[in-house]
Amino acid sequence: MLKRILGAALVAVASTSCVAGAASDDEVTVVVGYQSKTINTVTAGTLLRELGHFERRLAELGRRTGKRYEVTWQDYDTGAPITAQMLAGKVDIGSMGDYPMLINGSRAQKLGDDGTRMVSVTGYNARGALNMVVVSPDSTATTLADLAGKKVSASVGSAGHGTLVRALGGTQVTVENQQPSVGASALQAGNVQALAQFVAWPGQLVFAKQAKLLYDGAELNLPTLHGVVVRNRFARERPEVLSEFLRAQQDATAHLHAKPLDAAHVVAKATGLPVEVVYLYNGPNGISTFDLSLKPVLRDALRQDVPFLKSIGNIEELDVDRFIDDGPLKAAVGEGTADTVNPARITGRDSACQVDVADPATASEVWFEGEEAPRPAADPTCLLKLVNQVGKAVRVAYVPDAVTGTRWFADHAFWVRDDDGALRPHTTRAGARGDVLDFTQALAAAGAP
């Protein structure tokens, strides 16, 4: 793992008692609020912090300006407390999900020119798969309608909560407002019957066999994203620091794309999350697509979110186009692209089917015990054949949902054999049509190459 760059010439990681945006003639303090375990924000949070890109760039800025820059990293479970700290002037730059960002902008607009603005995206999923609903492994529920009258844990105002409310339609449930870790414990204890949360909680609980997936947010087919918000006063007074933050975020994004497995190990070590879970989201063809640009499709999604958030009483009116400001991003790293294709792709040679892995819609991976990295497969059926061919224990395997494309754990997928003989995985039981096979049965059905 790359170590944080430290030294006398470099910025220090200061204590949390520093005042946001504090500055003297030769010293500037920057306070960054992030969510270490919300791994869709790692390029502006955990990975960025661990790689030291921001500190390194500020050290270079200091050599040019003669100033000393100090960075305080403040870790939170959700975006709500980051917003509270920003409104109090105690956090300068924060990363959070789409709903929290809009709530941030709505509440901060009361401050006028001293409000906040969104300046970049960390990661997104074009269909909404970053948010999911899980239930206990022994739950009989197969659809959200089966939760009628039940208790569901969610962090109210979060993206996971928003997905739940949208997806429920007319189904009535009791929402327990809980932090993700509290909700996970409540689910295991049987105090709630479901948990609606954002990345990486659903994957983490399923991987640990503490939950199973009931609802994949991709079924909404509405983009969900996380991004970076900055206090306007800080952006006006320290535009050079904001520029270096955005350049550093681009550095972290480039590292994640070039070395996805290394990046997953870095984040896993820093957060305590299993590397297999981090790689599910942040690996090639992962659930998260990382790109800083404020794409038209993401802007449109945010605009659609405002009336919905108003309807459930979470925000007042917000002019999204005014809240979004990609001027600093364009000045720092250049024009973005409207393309939503994930630049991190699974490539290589499929040794079971003897073909090159070319189609991201079907590309899969299997990580065998004792091996340093996953092996590629051209499609889920080829992955099953590869497992049979190699004959080793599987550490983890990843396959895309046959309909939504959501990357998921092969051993937790619901498999269906199509008329053409292909075995196709689905993330949820409701999404699988026909006779369903588990992973062991799918392996037997696939046979040898």
Side-chain angles (χ1 to χ4, degrees):
M1 182 182 76
L2 294 178
K3 295 181 179 179
R4 287 179 229 158
I5 304 170
L6 301 174
L10 194 61
V11 292
V13 178
S15 71
T16 57
S17 61
C18 290
V19 178
S24 64
D25 290 341
D26 58 1
E27 183 172 326
V28 177
T29 297
V30 188
V31 182
V32 180
Y34 75 114
Q35 303 169 65
S36 64
K37 292 188 177 182
T38 305
I39 54 178
N40 196 46
T41 66
V42 294
T43 53
T46 305
L47 184 63
L48 177 60
R49 175 177 179 170
E50 293 300 308
L51 296 181
H53 288 310
F54 189 32
E55 287 85 350
R56 188 189 71 250
R57 285 190 170 276
L58 287 181
E60 177 58 33
L61 177 64
R63 285 190 282 271
R64 297 196 304 267
T65 64
K67 296 182 182 295
R68 180 174 181 269
Y69 296 89
E70 292 188 348
V71 181
T72 297
W73 296 88
Q74 295 186 356
D75 188 7
Y76 299 91
D77 289 334
T78 64
I82 298 177
T83 289
Q85 293 294 87
M86 293 186 80
L87 295 180
K90 296 180 179 180
V91 166
D92 300 309
I93 300 171
S95 57
M96 60 191 74
D98 40 15
Y99 286 17
M101 278 193 293
L102 294 171
I103 293 171
N104 179 298
S106 176
R107 294 179 179 174
Q109 67 185 350
K110 298 176 182 178
L111 302 177
D113 291 341
D114 288 336
T116 60
R117 50 181 151 152
M118 179 186 178
V119 292
S120 72
V121 173
T122 55
Y124 67 93
N125 182 279
R127 291 185 63 101
L130 295 172
N131 308 309
M132 296 175 168
V133 181
V134 297
V135 293
S136 62
D138 60 354
S139 173
T140 59
T142 58
T143 69
L144 287 177
D146 294 329
L147 298 179
K150 307 295 186 181
K151 293 181 180 179
V152 181
S153 175
S155 302
V156 173
S158 72
H161 174 234
T163 291
L164 172 69
V165 175
R166 281 184 185 274
L168 281 172
T171 300
Q172 298 296 312
V173 302
T174 299
V175 175
E176 299 288 338
N177 184 14
Q178 297 171 328
Q179 294 282 60
S181 59
V182 175
S185 297
L187 180 66
Q188 293 175 58
N191 296 327
V192 297
Q193 285 67 58
L195 174 78
Q197 280 296 351
F198 47 80
V199 53
W201 286 96
Q204 177 185 355
L205 292 170
V206 170
F207 180 74
K209 296 182 172 57
Q210 296 172 344
K212 64 181 178 182
L213 186 61
L214 178 69
Y215 184 82
D216 177 358
E219 294 180 39
L220 284 177
N221 199 20
L222 180 66
T224 184
L225 62 142
H226 290 70
V228 175
V229 179
V230 65
R231 289 194 303 116
N232 287 341
R233 175 173 291 187
F234 179 83
R236 289 194 305 269
E237 295 177 352
R238 297 296 172 190
E240 74 285 0
V241 176
L242 177 59
S243 292
E244 296 307 330
F245 182 88
L246 294 170
R247 293 187 182 107
Q249 185 190 345
Q250 178 72 355
D251 293 338
T253 303
H255 180 94
L256 185 147
H257 289 160
K259 300 179 179 180
L261 187 57
D262 175 78
H265 278 295
V266 170
V267 173
K269 185 174 182 179
T271 62
L273 290 168
V275 66
E276 297 89 347
V277 173
V278 179
Y279 195 69
L280 167 75
Y281 291 97
N282 296 6
N285 287 57
I287 297 177
S288 300
T289 298
F290 288 90
D291 186 335
L292 283 69
S293 59
L294 290 147
K295 304 176 187 299
V297 66
L298 302 182
R299 291 173 182 259
D300 288 343
L302 292 172
R303 293 189 192 100
Q304 293 180 53
D305 288 340
V306 169
F308 172 73
L309 286 170
K310 286 180 63 181
S311 71
I312 61 176
N314 278 25
I315 68 170
E316 299 176 1
E317 191 60 68
L318 176 67
D319 185 339
V320 172
D321 293 316
R322 184 176 180 182
F323 176 57
I324 294 175
D325 179 9
D326 59 1
L329 179 64
K330 290 179 178 179
V333 304
E335 292 283 342
T337 172
D339 191 356
T340 59
V341 174
N342 193 336
R345 298 179 60 176
I346 299 171
T347 59
R349 183 74 176 174
D350 182 328
S351 62
C353 290
Q354 291 298 308
V355 294
D356 290 332
V357 179
D359 186 356
T362 60
S364 306
E365 285 186 300
V366 55
W367 196 348
F368 291 104
E369 291 287 358
E371 296 190 354
E372 293 185 357
R375 299 192 197 188
D379 59 45
T381 303
C382 288
L383 178 137
L384 296 169
K385 293 179 180 296
L386 179 59
V387 172
N388 289 334
Q389 177 190 64
V390 173
K392 291 183 180 180
V394 174
R395 179 174 178 175
V396 66
Y398 308 100
V399 290
D401 183 280
V403 177
T404 65
T406 301
R407 176 170 155 108
W408 200 237
F409 302 114
D411 61 333
H412 290 284
F414 298 85
W415 294 79
V416 176
R417 184 189 286 278
D418 280 359
D419 293 338
D420 61 4
L423 290 154
R424 307 193 189 280
H426 301 268
T427 58
T428 65
R429 179 63 183 87
R433 302 283 190 262
D435 295 331
V436 173
L437 306 177
D438 62 21
F439 187 51
T440 301
Q441 293 168 328
L443 286 170

